[in-house]
Amino acid sequence: MSRPIIYITRKIPSSIIKPYEDRFHFRMWTEDDTPVPKDILWKECKHADGMISMLTENLNREFLRSHPHIQIIANNAVGYDNIDIDIARKQQTVVTNTPDVLTETTADLTFALLMVTARRIIEAHQVIENDEWKQWSPYFLAGTDVYDQTIGIVGMGRIGEAVARRAKGFNMKILYHNRFRNEAKEEVLQAEYTEFNELLQRADFVVSLVPLTAETFHLFDAEAFQKMKRSAIFINASRGQVVDEHALYNALKDKQIHAAGLDVFAEEPIRRNHPLRTLKNAVCLPHIGSASMQTRTNMLKLCVENIDGYFYGDGPKTAVTPLR
Ligand code: GLV
Ligand code: GLV
C-alpha cells in the first residue's frame, strides 16, 4: 500500500516522526508556537488519511463531516472536548488521546498550583521583583496552610488519584466526587466519597479535574461558589468551561471564597484585560498542566504510536472511540 498521509497540526521535533518515515508520508504545519490557520488545516486535511491534532484545533461536526476519509485523529492531550466525539463515533473516525503518560506531571502542576495559591508565592515573588521587601513582619504575606486541611477532588480519574496521593503526603483529609464511586480506590487512598454539594461545603481546597462534557459545562457556577467556605481555595486544572467565569470573578471579588488557582480558561489564551487577571486572589497560569519536557515528548510519541498501531499493528493503544 502507498504510505498513508498524516497531517500534523503543529511543529513537533523531527526526531519523533523520523523512525516512522518509511511507513508514513508526514506533512506538518511548521510555524513555531502558532496553531495552523483554518484554511490551511482544511486544505492539508483534504488528502490526509490520519492526523495528529492539538487541543487548539476545533474539530467540530462541520470539520468531521467534511473529512470522512480521515481514518484516525490522534489528539495530543488527555482531554478531547475539541473534537465532536459523537460525530466521530457515528462516522467511525477513530480518535485517540494521551492518558497515563501525563498523569503524574499534571498532578505535580495541580498540586504546585494549590501550594502556590495557598502560600501566595506569586505575590511574594512580585514583592522581590518590585523591590518592595521592607521588613519581616508577623502577617506579611501570610497565606493558608496546606497540611492537615481538607481537599475535595471533583473528578477522580487518573489525575485525581495522583493528586490524592500527593495530598496524602501532606496529611490532608481527602474527599472526592465522581460520576462513579470507586470503593477500591477509597480504601487505598483513604478517600471519602461525598455528594457534590457536601464536598463544596466541607473542603478547604476544591480541585476540579473533571473532563469537559455537556454535564460538566459550568458545573462550578454561582450556586457552587456560594456553597463553598469563605476560606475555600478553588483550583482548576481541567478545562475552563467547567467554570462560569463570571460567577467565579464575583465570588473572588466579593470574598465569597478566598482565592483561586487556574491553569485553564473558557477562552485561551487570556490577555491582561481578562477580569480574572485583575484580581489579587487569583493565580493564573497558561495551561501548562502536562508541560514537562519528558511528558510532552511522551505524549507526542504516543500519538505516533497510536497512528502506527492503527495502520500497521494491532490497533491504537489509547482509543477513545471504537475501531472501525
Ligand atoms: C491538556 O489539557 C490535556 O487535556 O492533555
Ligand atoms: C482524565 O482527565 C484523567 O483524570 O485522567
Side-chain angles (χ1 to χ4, degrees):
M1 89 181 176
S2 62
R3 288 177 305 162
I5 299 170
I6 306 300
Y7 185 59
I8 305 171
T9 66
R10 203 64 81 88
K11 184 173 174 183
I12 68 172
S14 57
S15 57
I16 287 171
I17 51 177
K18 209 154 204 90
Y20 299 88
E21 273 175 348
D22 55 339
R23 299 209 280 284
F24 295 100
H25 178 73
F26 292 107
R27 295 187 53 88
M28 183 157 82
W29 172 244
T30 52
E31 217 166 272
D32 280 316
D33 294 330
T34 55
V36 56
K38 187 178 163 188
D39 55 325
I40 296 178
L41 174 72
W42 279 59
K43 198 163 144 245
E44 288 283 353
C45 286
K46 231 180 190 160
H47 305 291
D49 302 298
M51 64 189 290
I52 296 177
S53 58
M54 311 293 135
L55 52 81
T56 42
E57 274 76 64
N58 181 12
L59 306 180
N60 56 14
R61 165 191 291 262
E62 184 197 8
F63 177 88
L64 292 174
R65 286 281 191 232
S66 306
H67 298 83
H69 52 277
I70 293 183
Q71 298 177 48
I72 175 167
I73 301 173
N75 204 43
N76 184 39
V78 68
Y80 43 87
D81 48 278
N82 57 311
I83 302 172
D84 189 326
I85 213 73
D86 291 333
I87 299 292
R89 272 207 185 93
K90 272 197 198 115
Q91 67 180 39
Q92 298 190 303
T93 306
V94 175
V95 175
T96 66
N97 67 342
T98 61
D100 304 319
V101 290
L102 51 57
T103 299
E104 300 299 331
T105 302
T106 307
D108 279 349
L109 189 278
T110 306
F111 212 81
L113 182 54
L114 184 154
M115 296 198 71
V116 154
T117 309
R119 295 300 303 271
R120 304 173 60 184
I121 288 170
I122 308 295
E123 277 177 81
H125 178 74
Q126 265 153 11
V127 164
I128 299 290
E129 283 274 284
N130 301 338
D131 206 15
E132 287 167 354
W133 188 13
K134 300 187 183 83
Q135 287 298 329
W136 187 93
S137 67
Y139 291 99
F140 177 55
L141 283 169
T144 302
D145 278 329
V146 173
Y147 80 95
D148 274 355
Q149 305 298 299
T150 298
I151 187 171
I153 299 172
V154 182
M156 197 62 137
R158 286 161 285 228
I159 301 168
E161 255 185 87
V163 169
R165 275 189 273 108
R166 285 157 179 76
K168 209 166 157 215
F170 284 75
N171 204 34
M172 296 178 94
K173 166 139 193 73
I174 301 166
L175 310 178
Y176 81 96
H177 180 74
N178 200 49
R179 254 180 326 155
F180 309 107
R181 189 169 165 180
N182 186 335
E183 288 172 25
K185 243 181 250 177
E186 288 171 29
E187 182 78 24
V188 179
L189 299 166
Q190 288 160 359
E192 180 187 340
Y193 177 84
T194 66
E195 288 305 322
F196 182 58
N197 288 335
E198 186 187 340
L199 180 146
L200 299 179
Q201 284 157 4
R202 287 174 59 195
D204 298 306
F205 295 89
V206 176
V207 180
S208 168
L209 288 163
V210 282
L212 174 63
T213 63
E215 288 76 44
T216 63
F217 177 80
H218 284 197
L219 177 65
F220 296 94
D221 57 6
E223 212 183 312
F225 293 117
Q226 262 155 28
K227 291 198 175 98
M228 294 181 194
K229 298 181 183 183
R230 289 187 89 83
S231 57
I233 292 181
F234 175 67
I235 303 294
N236 188 6
S238 57
R239 283 293 181 271
Q241 289 176 44
V242 305
V243 176
D244 176 347
E245 286 185 344
H246 186 69
L248 174 60
Y249 173 81
N250 287 332
L252 287 167
K253 189 165 168 287
D254 301 342
K255 300 280 159 65
Q256 255 175 47
I257 67 168
H258 182 65
L262 308 167
D263 186 41
V264 288
F265 300 88
E267 274 189 49
E268 299 174 358
I270 62 165
R271 302 258 72 93
R272 196 196 302 280
N273 60 0
H274 190 284
L276 289 164
R277 274 279 286 101
T278 64
L279 297 169
K280 248 193 145 55
N281 53 348
V283 173
C284 300
L285 301 180
H287 202 149
I288 55 169
S290 61
S292 71
M293 291 301 289
Q294 298 95 322
T295 289
R296 284 290 165 86
T297 299
N298 290 336
M299 287 164 66
L300 288 168
K301 281 187 175 161
L302 178 54
C303 288
V304 186
E305 283 164 18
N306 274 323
I307 299 244
D308 191 55
Y310 173 80
F311 284 102
Y312 294 106
D314 301 334
K317 286 177 154 175
T318 54
V320 297
T321 60
L323 298 181
R324 48 172 83 208

